[in-house]
Amino acid sequence: MRRLFILLFAGSIAISASIYYDRMLLLLFLVPIVSLAIGSCRKISEKYLAGVLVVLFLAIVFGRSTYFIKSQSGMEFGQNSSIEGRVASFPSTKNENTGFILHVKSLGEKVQCYINISEYDVQIKKGDVIKVTGIGYAPDRKRNPGGFDYNLYLRSKGVYSVFYADSQSLKLIRRDISPLLKPIVDFRERIIDEIEDKMDKRNGDFLKGLVFGIKSMDDDDSRIFTKGGISHVLAVSGLHVGFIYGFLLILASILKMSGKTSFIFVCILLMLYAFLCDFSISVARASSMAALHQLAKAYKLSYDTLNALFFIGCVNAAVNPLIVYTSSFLLSYSAVFAISVFYPFLKEIFSRLLKENWKKPMDALAITFVVQTFTFPIISYIFNGISLVSFILNLIVVPIAGFILLTFMTAMPLMAMFDVASGTLMSLFDRLADLCFAITESFIGHGFSYITVPTMSTSFILLYYTFLFSLAGYFYLDIRGRKAALTIWICLLWLLIVPVHFFSNNLIVTALDVGQGDSILIEAPGGENILIDGGGSYNRRIGEDVVLKALLSKNIRKLDLVICTHSHYDHIGGIVEIIDAVNIKHIMINPLEDEGFEILAERGVKAGSKIVYSKEDQKIGLSKDINMTVYYPGDNTIYLDANNSSVVLKLIYDEVSFLFTGDIEEEGERELVAMNKDLDSTILKIPHHGSNTSTTEEFLALVNPEYAIISVGRNNRYAHPSDKTLERLAGEGIKYLRTDLNGAVEFVTDGEKVNIKTYIEEHP
């Protein structure tokens, strides 16, 4: 059967997704996959062979998926311990923290290890056997809507634990690397040392990313290329391998190598480059495809790009099925698929519309357009943004990057041997890196250059790709019955989309995990969206990395109201970060604080938001007779401090109610009680992160909640929540949840019942 590997690959995704996400209904996708594989064969013997191959492959994937998903680490988490192992990956340093995979023989597993060695003159190399002391943890699944699933990412590498080591405990046992690989490792280290010694840090990080895929660049500098839509330049991908492969073919032609000799020559050098890049997914994929292409040429065999692509994908899926969910795999494979399937269609249109002298210049633009169009759902999921200048930058910066890559790769042996030549060449690369930054920054300096986009739902993604394939003529609608089948399919997709977005009666309240801070998102059934606080940290972009991603993952691009309970940075810092990215209609601030809101108010007014002050008994009406009332501070409340002047609100939906309390402490609670408000609520947001200065017995008795949510950071320096508060909640029989342990907590109610979803649960 032609292109059987596409079906096998689709089947592997259905199996691994069904096991990891515990949705066995996804296995129903195997029925049409197996049917198509067998039904497309003409001869009975071919049907039997296809059936056996499909069942055998899917059985292997099922077994491997179960192994990688259900496997548990043998490490004791949360306890100080020592481990000894062999460094199994090239160490990568960012923000003074060095990360690497350590193969621990005593555990019989690989561990993701992080260590701060900035103050110690110890260089860790691949192949070193080391001993370190520290604390191990289980890697998290995603902690927030739209968050990063670190557990899935590490499992795609066969890693089930994270170990944070004490730098002072590092002990080098021995250098233990194969004599065959040692010169290559030493050569790589020498080149990296040359880059770090003789180039500006930003430019050096750029070059290390371009050549070896090392992610050491500062986040702010990385965002420059992300907003330019050319972040693939910094992650060694098929683009880089394509440059090198083309150069090697030219070199083989100049040297007049035979087909078989050229095949061996290309394979050896591409494998060497893949090793230098630590066999990253995209490099391994591109190198394997290049090797298959050369093999086909050497032995005069037919070569089909899609067959080669999905054959390699099937091999990856059989080795570790979870690898297909990594961003590098998705982007790499979808880009090649787009070029193979849709580029010929677009090229045919150009050939009809354009004059001959315009066709070649438009080819590069057409490829960029095809790749960006096809990968848009993936880009919206990973980056939540799309660059409007990427078409131009891909035509300008990518060729410069390709020149740097090829020149650098050619000059590496020279730089390793002659220091004078190294200095001259590094100066050249410094200037070229400056040029790449300057060009990219000049294009992204305009407000229209980059726009945020929401994450597409599964139904919208299916509808999107249905439209693309229909447009390109891949459904053969001239065949009888195909138009009716396609129409029914599109109607079914719309039936899945419309009720969720337009006919839901559920109120959703999500306490986001923003670390040591507060942020609560309210989604009313009528489409109104309210955010109470936005977290904030001086060490992390909480607004961009957590709050904005959560909003976009829920397709929220407009906030009707943002309520700032008080001016502390762990409550308003994230709001300042997202003001320019989200349309905020009103910003409500605390009337008792004269200072602390200046920057927020200034940025808000500039972005078009209206600044309003909270007022006692102020009503905020929402759809479906849902009401929110401001309880505190009252008209006669005297300012004590920022915490005790926090805005307190009650949200009521029929029989279910929420009390949001900011950071009020004992003094604020006492005054709130004295105001004789109806505090009785179904769900209580515990004040001040569960500190021992809040949640007094009298206050808790009046609220009398069934559930409580504590917004608190893991291992925070304040020791929140206090044991005293937890004991009080347990003593009252109140079920409490914590963002440090449960991740984001989502309350879904129809006004009668409450369903609770936590993003961190007891999963492998």
Side-chain angles (χ1 to χ4, degrees), residues 211-225:
V211 177
F212 300 114
I214 298 173
K215 298 178 181 178
S216 57
M217 185 176 288
D218 291 341
D219 291 339
D220 289 338
D221 292 330
S222 296
R223 283 187 178 88
I224 294 172
F225 291 91

Side-chain angles (χ1 to χ4, degrees), residues 309-358:
L309 175 69
F310 287 103
F311 169 74
I312 297 165
C314 287
V315 171
N316 283 324
V319 174
N320 184 348
L322 297 185
I323 203 171
V324 303
Y325 299 103
T326 60
S327 58
S328 55
F329 187 98
L330 290 170
L331 289 172
S332 179
Y333 276 71
S334 59
V336 177
F337 182 83
I339 293 171
S340 302
V341 173
F342 292 100
Y343 171 65
F345 167 73
L346 193 60
K347 188 175 182 179
E348 176 66 23
I349 294 177
F350 281 176
S351 66
R352 296 174 184 174
L353 300 178
L354 299 176
K355 295 181 179 180
E356 191 64 35
N357 58 338
W358 278 96

Side-chain angles (χ1 to χ4, degrees), residues 69 261 348 593 727:
I69 292 170
T261 304
E348 176 66 23
E593 293 186 81
E727 289 170 4

Side-chain angles (χ1 to χ4, degrees), residues 127-427:
D128 287 351
V129 177
I130 63 173
K131 185 176 182 179
V132 287
T133 300
I135 301 176
Y137 297 93
D140 285 333
R141 293 165 82 96
K142 68 176 182 178
R143 301 188 65 87
N144 286 287
F148 178 61
D149 194 333
Y150 193 44
N151 179 286
L152 180 60
Y153 170 74
L154 287 184
R155 284 179 182 269
S156 72
K157 296 183 175 184
V159 177
Y160 313 111
S161 59
V162 184
F163 193 83
Y164 293 94
D166 178 5
S167 56
Q168 298 182 55
S169 71
L170 175 63
K171 182 180 180 182
L172 177 63
I173 306 299
R174 64 181 181 275
R175 305 277 186 192
D176 184 23
I177 191 168
S178 165
L180 184 65
L181 297 177
K182 187 178 184 304
I184 304 173
V185 173
D186 290 343
F187 174 75
R188 184 182 187 273
E189 292 296 325
R190 171 71 187 276
I191 294 299
I192 291 174
D193 288 341
E194 288 291 303
I195 293 174
E196 292 176 347
D197 290 343
K198 297 177 180 177
M199 289 186 70
D200 173 80
K201 184 183 183 306
R202 185 172 80 157
N203 292 341
D205 289 341
F206 168 83
L207 188 58
K208 287 187 290 183
L210 173 66
V211 177
F212 300 114
I214 298 173
K215 298 178 181 178
S216 57
M217 185 176 288
D218 291 341
D219 291 339
D220 289 338
D221 292 330
S222 296
R223 283 187 178 88
I224 294 172
F225 291 91
T226 299
K227 291 188 174 182
I230 52 172
S231 57
H232 54 281
V233 168
L234 299 176
V236 177
S237 61
L239 172 72
H240 303 66
V241 175
F243 279 127
I244 295 171
Y245 179 47
F247 177 74
L248 293 177
L249 289 181
I250 294 172
L251 190 59
S253 176
I254 293 173
L255 297 175
K256 297 182 180 179
M257 295 182 182
S258 65
K260 294 180 181 179
T261 304
S262 175
F263 166 68
I264 296 171
F265 170 72
V266 169
C267 285
I268 290 175
L269 290 181
L270 286 180
M271 184 173 290
L272 175 61
Y273 182 60
F275 176 80
L276 292 174
C277 297
D278 224 2
F279 291 101
S280 69
I281 293 172
S282 52
V283 172
R285 188 272 308 159
S287 299
S288 299
M289 289 188 69
L292 289 175
H293 183 254
Q294 275 299 99
L295 179 66
K297 285 179 61 178
Y299 290 92
K300 295 181 172 56
L301 302 172
S302 62
Y303 176 83
D304 181 80
T305 302
L306 288 182
N307 257 335
L309 175 69
F310 287 103
F311 169 74
I312 297 165
C314 287
V315 171
N316 283 324
V319 174
N320 184 348
L322 297 185
I323 203 171
V324 303
Y325 299 103
T326 60
S327 58
S328 55
F329 187 98
L330 290 170
L331 289 172
S332 179
Y333 276 71
S334 59
V336 177
F337 182 83
I339 293 171
S340 302
V341 173
F342 292 100
Y343 171 65
F345 167 73
L346 193 60
K347 188 175 182 179
E348 176 66 23
I349 294 177
F350 281 176
S351 66
R352 296 174 184 174
L353 300 178
L354 299 176
K355 295 181 179 180
E356 191 64 35
N357 58 338
W358 278 96
K359 290 179 182 178
K360 286 187 177 180
M362 291 299 290
D363 275 353
L365 187 62
I367 290 174
T368 302
F369 176 78
V370 162
V371 169
Q372 289 224 339
T373 302
F374 190 80
T375 60
F376 175 72
I378 301 172
I379 291 172
S380 74
Y381 173 77
I382 298 172
F383 301 110
N384 282 124
I386 186 168
S387 172
L388 302 181
V389 296
S390 62
F391 297 106
I392 302 173
L393 289 175
N394 271 283
L395 294 177
I396 301 174
V397 176
V398 169
I400 297 173
F403 173 78
I404 296 172
L405 176 67
L406 292 178
T407 307
F408 187 86
M409 296 293 291
T410 306
M412 276 200 303
L414 189 65
M415 290 187 292
M417 291 185 291
F418 303 105
D419 190 63
V420 175
S422 173
T424 303
L425 288 168
M426 288 302 179
S427 179

Side-chain angles (χ1 to χ4, degrees), residues 603-616:
R603 293 280 300 275
V605 170
K606 187 176 180 181
S609 304
K610 183 178 180 181
I611 308 298
V612 297
Y613 292 93
S614 68
K615 187 176 181 180
E616 183 182 357

Side-chain angles (χ1 to χ4, degrees), residues 374-378 460-470:
F374 190 80
T375 60
F376 175 72
I378 301 172
F460 263 117
I461 290 173
L462 292 174
L463 194 63
Y464 181 85
Y465 284 123
T466 298
F467 173 75
L468 283 187
F469 279 94
S470 300

